[in-house]
Amino acid sequence: MIAEIAVFGFTVKPTTFSYLVPSHLSGLKIGTIVEVPFGKNLRTGVVVGLSSKQPDIKLKEIFGVKSDTPPVGHQQLKLARRMSDFYFISVAEALHLMLPRLPKHSNKIDQSIKQPIKQQLLLFPTLRQARTALQGQSGTLFSHALPTDQFDQSWEEIRTGKSGAIFGTRSALFAPFHDLSQITIFQPESDLYKDERRPYYRALKVATFLAETWKIKLLPVSFGPRVQDEYGWPHLIKKIDRDFSFEVVNLRESEIVSNQLVETLKRNDRKKILLFLNRKSERGPLACRNCKLRSFVLDPSVCPNCGSADVKFKLFNLSSIQKKINSLGATEALFATQKIFFEDPSEFDLVVILSADTYLSQANYDSSEKTFQMITQLIRLLKPGGKILVQTAHVGDRAVTGALKNDYASFYRAELAARKETNYPPFSSLAKITYSYSGPAPDLNLPEDLEIFGPFDGKKYPYWIVRGPDLSSLESLVRPWKIDRDPLRL
C-alpha cells in the first residue's frame, strides 16, 4: 500500500510525497500523523491519501505512527485542500495551522459523551473579546495562544462534541470540530483577522471555505464591512442604536489644536472625553518654503502650487498635542490610539478625532472604507446623547459623511460604483508577491490579463503588486516567492 504524506517543514515544491506502508501499519488511516524519512532526517507528516497500487519506483517506508487516533478529521483535510488551492501553499502548510502543537491526549476518546451536541463557532478579533463574550455563557474558549493544558482540554472538548459553543479568535477556525452547525464572525473587517505570516489568510475567506465544507450557515456581523466582503457574502449590518450629535472641523482652514477645539474641551469640563489619533504619530499637511502653501496632498516630493521641492511634511504627534492642550488649560481627557478599540469597552460624552485623515491621505483603494470603519467604531464609544468632533482635510468625503449619518448602505453603493469604475476588488483580485532571496529576481512570466506593478522597495526584499480577474496562474511561483492574496497594505 502507498500513502500520500503531507510533510511538515520546508519544501521548495508544494506537494505531497509517496511512502510505502509497512505491513505492521496495514490498518493506517487517512488523517494519521506519522514520522517519515526525509533526506537524512525524520519529519512529521499527515496521511492525506492511501492507494493499493504497486509503486513504479522504489519508495521509502513510513517510519512510525505518532498517534493511534487520527487527529486530523475529514473536514479538516477538505479545508486544508481548499486553502492550498486558494493561497498557493502546500497542503502541509494548511494542516500545520490546524496542528501547531499536538494535543497530549489525542488518542483518548471520552466515552462519556453518548450523544455529541451541535456546535457553533463564534469568532472575535481578540482573545480578550472572546473571553468577555464567553462570560456567563456555556462554552469553550479556543485559541492557539492558550496555555498548553487549557489548549489540550479545549481540543478534546471540541473534538469529542462535548462543547456546543466555541468562542475564539481566527485560529479557532482550525479546531477539530465534531459536528459544526453555524459560524458567526464579529467585526470581520478587523485587520486582526488577517494573518500577515505565510499563508497570509483572511479569517472570513477561510470561514467561507469552512462553511461550504460543512454545508452550514455563516453569519458575518458588522457595523461597516469591507466592501468586497459584503459583495461576496452579505453581512448582518448593525446600525448604531443611540442618539448622538456631530461637528466637523476643516483642517485645511484650521490647526489641529485650534481655539475651537480648546473651547469645545473647556465647555465639556467635568465630562468624560476621548481625544483620538489613529497612531501616535500622523502625517499632517505639506508646507512649501518657497510659496508658503499649506496643502494636503498625496505626493510629498514637490509643491502642487509652484513645483518647488523645498517642502516638508508636518507630523501630528499625540504626546506633543497632549502637552499643548494641557498647557492651554483645557479639561482633563483620555488621549488614545486605535488600541482603545480592543480594550474593555468604555463610553464617553465627547469623542474628538484629532485627524481623520490617516487613511484618506494614502493612495489606497480601500482608504474610504477604513475611514468609515474608524469613525463608526468611535461613535460606538459615545454615551447616548454624546457628541463626536471630527477634524479632517476631506470634509466632503463619502466615508466621513456616511459614517456620521450612520448610513452604510449609501456608502456601500457609492464605493462599489467607484471600485467598478477603477477595477478594484471585488471586481478584480489583488496579490502582493515578494522575492525573498538576496539574488536578482527572475522575470515574471505571467499571463497578459494580469497587471503587474513594481518592483517596489520592501523592508527587506522587493515586491510587486499583481491585479487581475483570476490569480490562479500565480501557483507557478514557488519558493523563494511569497504570495500574499488580498494584502492589508499595498
Side-chain angles (χ1 to χ4, degrees):
M1 183 180 292
I2 302 174
E4 289 300 313
I5 310 294
V7 180
F8 296 141
F10 176 82
T11 57
V12 174
K13 190 176 180 180
T15 186
T16 56
F17 298 87
S18 298
Y19 288 86
L20 281 177
V21 179
S23 57
H24 68 278
L25 294 179
S26 58
L28 191 70
K29 297 179 180 179
I30 291 177
T32 303
I33 292 183
V34 295
E35 284 187 315
V36 294
F38 197 92
K40 297 181 180 180
N41 303 307
L42 286 177
R43 285 197 187 176
T44 301
V46 178
V47 179
V48 297
L50 292 169
S51 171
S52 58
K53 293 182 179 179
Q54 294 297 315
D56 297 328
I57 59 175
K58 186 177 180 179
L59 298 176
K60 296 179 180 179
E61 287 190 346
I62 294 173
F63 180 78
V65 172
K66 296 198 70 172
S67 172
D68 294 334
T69 300
V72 179
H74 175 65
Q75 303 292 0
Q76 285 180 302
L77 284 174
K78 290 177 67 175
L79 177 61
R81 293 188 186 280
R82 290 291 303 275
M83 291 184 66
S84 173
D85 292 340
F86 187 80
Y87 288 110
F88 312 114
I89 58 174
S90 66
V91 173
E93 284 182 273
L95 288 171
H96 194 267
L97 293 168
M98 305 170 195
L99 300 172
R101 62 176 184 264
L102 301 180
K104 293 179 180 178
H105 308 296
S106 59
N107 61 333
K108 294 182 179 180
I109 299 178
D110 189 343
Q111 300 296 335
S112 65
I113 307 301
K114 301 299 182 182
Q115 187 173 358
I117 57 180
K118 293 284 186 180
Q119 296 174 317
Q120 60 173 321
L121 174 63
L122 299 98
L123 292 182
F124 300 85
T126 69
L127 194 56
R128 178 197 289 264
Q129 290 170 303
R131 279 199 177 99
T132 300
L134 179 56
Q135 290 177 1
Q137 305 289 326
S138 176
T140 296
L141 185 68
F142 185 84
S143 170
H144 292 155
L146 292 174
T148 301
D149 290 346
Q150 188 177 355
F151 176 88
D152 292 347
Q153 180 180 350
S154 297
W155 179 281
E156 281 301 298
E157 288 177 355
I158 296 169
R159 189 181 68 84
T160 58
K162 187 176 182 179
S163 177
I166 298 97
F167 295 73
T169 56
R170 66 176 188 239
S171 61
L173 288 163
F174 309 116
F177 305 106
H178 186 278
D179 191 7
L180 190 60
S181 62
Q182 180 171 320
I183 305 169
T184 305
I185 177 169
F186 296 93
Q187 295 176 258
E189 70 278 3
S190 172
D191 287 352
L192 296 179
Y193 281 121
K194 167 74 172 178
D195 191 343
E196 291 200 89
R197 300 166 299 176
R198 188 182 172 102
Y200 308 106
Y201 70 88
R202 281 191 185 267
L204 182 59
K205 190 64 179 180
V206 176
T208 64
F209 294 158
L210 189 62
E212 291 166 357
T213 297
W214 283 90
K215 297 180 173 59
I216 58 174
K217 180 180 179 181
L218 167 63
L219 180 62
V221 181
S222 174
F223 285 86
R226 299 173 73 225
V227 170
Q228 66 200 79
D229 290 346
E230 170 64 13
Y231 184 83
W233 199 287
H235 293 47
L236 172 60
I237 300 174
K238 302 183 72 175
K239 294 183 73 71
I240 296 171
D241 58 354
R242 67 195 66 183
D243 295 328
F244 66 93
S245 60
F246 63 84
E247 182 179 351
V248 180
V249 174
N250 192 342
L251 283 182
R252 295 180 186 270
E253 302 170 356
S254 172
E255 295 291 335
I256 192 167
V257 181
S258 63
N259 292 334
Q260 182 180 356
L261 173 58
V262 174
E263 289 303 316
T264 299
L265 295 177
K266 288 181 177 179
R267 284 198 305 270
N268 287 273
D269 191 21
R270 300 178 184 277
K271 292 185 178 180
K272 196 171 182 182
I273 301 174
L274 170 66
L275 288 101
F276 175 87
L277 196 66
N278 199 50
R279 290 189 287 261
K280 290 182 179 180
S281 182
E282 293 283 0
R283 192 179 74 175
L286 172 145
C288 178
R289 295 186 179 94
N290 183 49
C291 69
K292 309 304 180 186
L293 177 74
R294 183 174 179 272
S295 175
F296 287 79
V297 295
L298 298 178
D299 182 5
S301 59
V302 296
C303 173
N305 181 47
C306 68
S308 172
D310 190 12
V311 296
K312 68 174 183 177
F313 269 94
K314 187 175 182 180
L315 291 179
F316 298 148
N317 184 278
L318 190 61
S319 60
S320 61
I321 292 173
Q322 181 176 2
K323 290 178 182 178
K324 185 172 182 179
I325 288 177
N326 291 340
S327 69
L328 295 173
T331 184
E332 290 290 328
L334 174 65
F335 289 77
T337 63
Q338 58 181 308
K339 288 183 179 180
I340 195 169
F341 298 141
F342 309 110
E343 297 174 352
D344 291 331
S346 184
E347 292 187 336
F348 299 88
D349 299 289
L350 172 66
V351 171
V352 177
I353 307 180
L354 293 166
S355 172
D357 301 329
T358 299
Y359 305 112
L360 294 177
S361 61
Q362 300 173 358
N364 287 335
Y365 75 96
D366 58 355
S367 296
S368 285
E369 76 177 22
K370 285 184 174 294
T371 302
F372 184 98
Q373 293 159 2
M374 178 182 69
I375 296 175
T376 300
Q377 284 180 294
L378 289 165
I379 292 174
R380 292 176 60 198
L381 298 180
L382 287 173
K383 292 180 180 179
K387 178 179 179 178
I388 183 167
L389 175 67
V390 180
Q391 300 193 142
T392 176
H394 304 82
V395 173
D397 189 272
R398 59 177 169 267
V400 177
T401 57
L404 292 176
K405 291 179 181 178
N406 196 15
D407 185 2
Y408 177 79
S410 296
F411 168 76
Y412 172 75
R413 288 192 295 269
E415 185 69 10
L416 191 66
R419 299 279 185 92
K420 187 172 184 179
E421 184 177 349
T422 54
N423 193 33
Y424 276 110
F427 302 103
S428 66
S429 296
L430 291 173
K432 179 179 180 180
I433 58 175
T434 305
Y435 190 68
S436 56
Y437 186 70
S438 56
D443 293 335
L444 283 168
N445 296 316
L446 297 175
E448 292 183 357
D449 63 340
L450 293 182
E451 296 178 271
I452 304 173
F453 306 92
F456 304 103
D457 291 331
K459 291 182 179 179
K460 190 174 181 181
Y461 301 108
Y463 70 92
W464 291 255
I465 300 297
V466 178
R467 178 172 68 177
D470 180 9
L471 300 182
S472 59
S473 58
L474 294 184
E475 67 181 357
S476 63
L477 301 178
V478 297
R479 293 180 188 265
W481 288 102
K482 292 180 180 179
I483 305 173
D484 181 0
R485 290 196 69 155
D486 194 9
L488 274 184
R489 301 167 189 85
L490 300 183

